[in-house]
Amino acid sequence: MPHYHSLGTIPHKRHTQFRQSNGSLYSEQLFSTEGFSNDYSLLYHVHPPTEIIATDEPYDVMPRIAEEKMLKHRSFEGFGVRLEADYLQSRKPVLVNNDCHLVLAAPGRSMEDYFYKNADADELIFIHEGSGVLRTMYGELSFGYGDYLVVPRGTIYQLRFDTAENRLFIVESFSPIRYPKKYLSPYGQLLEHSPYCERDIRGPQSLVTRDEKGDFLIRTKKKGRMYGIHYGHHPFDVIGWDGCCYPFAFSIHDFEPITGRVHQPPPVHQTFEGHNFVVCSFCPRLFDYHPLAIPAPYNHSNIDSDEVLYYVDGDFMSRKNVTRGMITLHPGGIPHGPHPGAVQRSIGAKETKELAVMVDTFHPLSLTIEALEIENPGYTMSWAE
């Protein structure tokens, strides 16, 4: 999905001899999506990326479903998830279906003694609190508040945090996460009407080739199980790479909202898409400028989608008692809209400072045990006040 990028040293032609200073060949690796039929990159390793020296017994990490079917509005205190020192243990799936898992995480320390690979899903990691560096075989990506980190499935990575205060909202996608098709030319360039462009996309930098021998543990998730796979050489032994499949960062603060004379529907906020779901960014923006405009969103029916809103920061005039990290779920089948009084209060307002991430899924979501542990009771009836 990203545009072509190259880092480090690569040969003039692909699939040809590329030798190290000692005469041995670098080991070429094709990293591709959808078999050989879509985006790919070519990486050149000092050592073959296949040298497994040991494996551990896998353990179960499937989400624990509490409610598979339901039809009522729900609300959850996202900052209520337990703090965990370890990154993988901190990841708590809260809303899931066969297309994506929505995960909250509050890790307290960096990944030091292992690496991680999600072999099932692309990962969209939204940084709500914290900063640091995403380290991968492609190089390093610095991140901070408001960044989306898009990590293609199969990417080996480590997260290094600057402090112990970190809050993440993660979308695991079982299809590739891509730019919305409506923003793209037939040849893949982001169009002039897109709310962001290639200049806003940050690719990996600071490629450091780690030619190290030892025992390197890659915790790898596949089909709801976590496998421990040990390699004989450091996984970040890449001397160079090029292509269009790699992790990248995009800041929500670089999203340029599309506004109009009257209230604009959620698709104008679309930022990414996967199979059967979309991700939108609600950012500070000027309100509608028709003389009779109503800035508050109109009531609407989710006929064929579940709507999830993750509140980041700012004042949300359409709802009461919103907290940072709160998640609301409005399932398909019943209408929802502003809380009582919000419509009248919104008239005459000139702008909003709200910041939120929305995920609309086109198949119903199930709730996990972790979701019920942080649920706000009574939210369903909050429109009757």
Side-chain angles (χ1 to χ4, degrees):
M1 184 187 72
H3 51 290
Y4 175 84
H5 192 59
S6 179
L7 202 60
T9 304
I10 59 175
H12 176 64
K13 292 283 288 184
R14 59 184 179 177
H15 316 324
T16 58
Q17 297 179 31
F18 182 32
R19 296 190 179 274
Q20 305 179 39
S21 58
N22 62 8
S24 61
L25 289 168
Y26 286 110
S27 186
E28 185 183 56
Q29 177 190 9
L30 175 70
F31 194 94
S32 62
T33 62
E34 301 177 29
F36 294 85
S37 301
N38 215 301
D39 300 334
Y40 69 92
S41 288
L42 287 169
L43 303 97
Y44 296 88
H45 295 262
V46 175
H47 304 280
T50 52
E51 294 183 353
I52 297 173
I53 59 174
T55 58
D56 300 332
E57 284 298 312
Y59 57 91
D60 184 70
V61 291
M62 282 290 290
R64 299 178 299 166
I65 304 300
E67 293 187 28
E68 183 178 1
K69 301 176 181 178
M70 55 87 199
L71 187 60
K72 65 179 182 178
H73 302 314
R74 316 292 281 262
S75 172
F76 312 92
E77 291 293 339
F79 278 23
V81 297
R82 296 189 306 275
L83 302 176
E84 302 271 5
D86 180 72
Y87 171 66
L88 291 181
Q89 292 179 4
S90 77
R91 292 166 57 118
K92 311 295 183 186
V94 289
L95 299 166
V96 301
N97 65 18
N98 290 331
D99 301 309
C100 62
H101 290 176
L102 307 185
V103 179
L104 295 169
R109 69 165 184 254
S110 301
M111 300 164 64
E112 300 286 352
D113 54 356
Y114 66 88
F115 304 82
Y116 176 57
K117 176 200 290 189
N118 192 330
D120 275 334
D122 284 25
E123 295 192 352
L124 178 67
I125 305 173
F126 179 77
I127 310 298
H128 193 167
E129 289 187 352
S131 61
V133 176
L134 171 68
R135 294 181 173 177
T136 75
M137 52 195 181
Y138 295 90
E140 298 184 349
L141 265 173
S142 296
F143 62 81
Y145 165 60
D147 276 338
Y148 291 106
L149 302 176
V150 180
V151 184
R153 76 197 58 199
T155 301
I156 298 171
Y157 73 83
Q158 284 184 321
L159 283 173
R160 307 301 295 270
F161 298 106
D162 293 330
T163 71
E165 305 299 324
N166 305 287
R167 293 282 179 175
L168 313 176
F169 175 63
I170 303 170
V171 180
E172 293 185 73
S173 171
F174 300 105
S175 62
I177 294 174
R178 303 194 186 279
Y179 303 141
K181 294 183 184 69
K182 63 183 179 180
Y183 297 157
L184 296 173
S185 77
Y187 304 102
Q189 184 179 12
L190 286 162
L191 294 168
E192 182 66 14
H193 66 263
S194 170
Y196 55 90
C197 72
E198 285 82 0
R199 296 183 189 182
D200 300 315
I201 305 302
R202 309 195 319 266
Q205 302 296 324
S206 304
L207 180 64
V208 178
T209 305
R210 303 286 296 273
D211 183 4
E212 301 173 21
K213 190 174 182 178
D215 185 341
F216 299 92
L217 172 60
I218 318 296
R219 297 197 184 279
T220 303
K221 186 163 73 165
K222 181 73 174 179
K223 295 294 184 181
R225 295 174 73 79
M226 191 71 73
Y227 297 82
I229 303 177
H230 298 254
Y231 285 82
H233 292 93
H234 198 291
F236 301 164
D237 68 338
V238 173
I239 191 68
W241 65 272
D242 75 333
C244 294
C245 183
Y246 53 85
F248 66 92
F250 169 69
S251 174
I252 195 172
H253 306 299
D254 285 331
F255 186 91
E256 300 299 334
I258 298 169
T259 61
R261 277 178 27 104
V262 296
H263 189 82
Q264 298 297 294
V268 303
H269 306 287
Q270 189 175 347
T271 312
F272 302 106
E273 66 184 13
H275 181 61
N276 289 327
F277 75 92
V278 298
V279 178
C280 299
S281 301
F282 289 87
C283 299
R285 62 195 182 277
L286 296 178
F287 273 140
D288 326 309
Y289 45 89
H290 187 285
L292 298 179
I294 299 177
Y298 37 76
N299 300 307
H300 51 284
S301 292
N302 293 7
I303 297 172
D304 54 6
S305 68
D306 281 9
E307 177 190 294
V308 176
L309 204 61
Y310 177 80
Y311 294 92
V312 181
D313 274 309
D315 181 30
F316 295 87
M317 53 83 180
S318 62
R319 304 203 176 281
K320 296 178 289 185
N321 304 317
V322 170
T323 59
R324 296 177 71 241
M326 179 183 285
I327 295 175
T328 56
L329 167 64
H330 302 131
I334 45 177
H336 72 281
H339 276 150
V343 171
Q344 186 62 43
R345 288 194 304 270
S346 76
I347 294 175
K350 299 301 183 184
E351 63 179 339
T352 176
K353 298 294 186 182
E354 68 184 13
L355 198 65
V357 177
M358 187 175 79
V359 181
D360 272 9
T361 67
F362 302 117
H363 289 149
L365 291 159
S366 298
L367 277 63
T368 66
I369 291 173
E370 287 83 0
L372 296 187
E373 291 174 351
I374 58 173
E375 184 169 16
N376 288 315
Y379 179 76
T380 302
M381 309 302 175
S382 60
W383 284 264
E385 297 176 0

